[in-house]
């Protein structure tokens, strides 16, 4: 998610995950460029319906003209079984 690089944005995004009871494994904030920064969150396993429920809030937190992008990842157990 591309956000404005300003005080409180990281807390706002973290609160979205916390309110939805989503456990975050890692949260990476990229270096700021022109007042914007990318936040990359890796969560523990969660359902597609949970993702859909928090997506509107993540979209709202994104900087104007930008949107949240979600890349699903295979569960580690699934990827090691084949």
């Amino acid at each position: 998610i591309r956000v404005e690089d300003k005080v409180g944005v990281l807390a706002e995004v973290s609160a979205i995950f916390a309110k939805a009871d989503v456990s975050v494994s890692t949260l990476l904030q990229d270096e700021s460029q022109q007042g914007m920064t990318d936040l990359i969150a890796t969560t523990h396993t969660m359902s597609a319906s949970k993702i859909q429920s928090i997506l509107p809030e993540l979209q709202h937190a994104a900087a104007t003209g930008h949107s949240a992008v979600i890349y699903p990842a295979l569960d580690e157990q699934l990827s090691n079984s084949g």
Side-chain angles (χ1 to χ4, degrees):
I1 180 173
R2 178 152 290 178
V3 296
E4 292 180 33
D5 188 16
K6 64 180 185 179
V7 174
V9 173
L10 181 60
E12 177 185 356
V13 172
S14 294
I16 292 168
F17 288 114
K19 186 171 81 173
D21 198 30
V22 172
S23 179
V24 175
S25 174
T26 59
L27 190 57
L28 172 70
Q29 181 174 341
D30 204 6
E31 199 169 316
S32 179
Q33 294 181 13
Q34 300 175 342
M36 299 287 180
T37 189
D38 292 325
L39 293 179
I40 302 167
T42 305
T43 66
H44 293 279
T45 302
M46 64 181 184
S47 68
S49 62
K50 176 87 68 161
I51 293 169
Q52 292 301 317
S53 73
I54 66 171
L55 188 55
E57 289 185 76
L58 291 173
Q59 298 289 26
H60 181 73
T64 303
H66 298 276
S67 59
V69 178
I70 297 174
Y71 294 102
L74 287 177
D75 184 290
E76 188 174 318
Q77 291 176 326
L78 292 175
S79 62
N80 287 331
S81 66

